[in-house]
């Protein structure tokens, strides 16, 4: 008997945030993520979902989801076609981005963090 395909899609990553308004502004205005939702369903909960342009995976920040002592998420990757252009755009928007590191084999990286210490790698792969 054939078994159905077992699809597993990563579509949402919760990130800790000490200041929801600050995080929302950082991701939407400075990094350029699309604001999908900003809702308050009740019981003191707030859900802010943002998606990087061109991505099927979103992030969510808010209150009532993660404990107040949640550690920052490290090493999230955003894969880009033109690392120099993305880095320059983020720098122009006031995001502190590292210099570009060439890892060899057509792989280059640059790094940044949000105000809560969640860290991101911008990855470009050329072949």
């Amino acid at each position: 008997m054939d078994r159905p395909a077992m699809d597993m899609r990563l579509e949402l990553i919760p990130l800790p945030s000490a200041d929801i308004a600050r995080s929302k502004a950082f991701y939407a205005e400075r990094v350029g993520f699309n604001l999908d939702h900003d809702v308050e369903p009740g019981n003191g909960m707030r859900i802010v979902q943002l998606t990087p342009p061109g991505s099927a995976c979103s992030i969510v920040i808010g209150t009532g989801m993660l404990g107040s002592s949640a550690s920052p998420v490290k090493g999230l990757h955003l894969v880009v076609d033109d690392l120099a252009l993305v880095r320059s755009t983020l720098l122009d928007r006031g995001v502190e981005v590292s210099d570009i590191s060439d890892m060899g084999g057509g792989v280059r990286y640059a790094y940044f963090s949000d105000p809560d210490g969640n860290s991101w790698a911008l990855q470009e792969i050329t072949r």
Side-chain angles (χ1 to χ4, degrees), residues 1-77:
M1 172 161 59
D2 288 331
R3 298 175 73 180
M6 193 169 96
D7 289 345
M8 293 185 187
R9 294 176 305 278
L10 180 62
E11 295 185 1
L12 189 65
I13 298 171
L15 296 180
S17 172
D19 182 329
I20 305 308
R22 177 187 68 187
S23 294
K24 176 183 169 184
F26 176 81
Y27 284 107
E29 297 167 17
R30 294 172 77 191
V31 183
F33 285 20
N34 299 309
L35 176 62
D36 303 322
H37 309 287
D38 185 350
V39 296
E40 296 183 44
N43 298 326
M45 188 174 216
R46 181 175 178 192
I47 299 167
V48 179
Q49 182 175 321
L50 302 112
T51 304
S55 180
C57 187
S58 302
I59 62 167
V60 64
I61 54 176
T63 53
M65 295 179 301
L66 297 173
S68 60
S69 63
S71 297
V73 176
K74 302 288 185 184
L76 295 163
H77 279 56

Side-chain angles (χ1 to χ4, degrees), residues 105-121:
V107 179
R108 301 183 329 150
Y109 285 96
Y111 305 92
F112 71 93
S113 294
D114 73 9
D116 293 289
N118 298 298
S119 68
W120 294 84

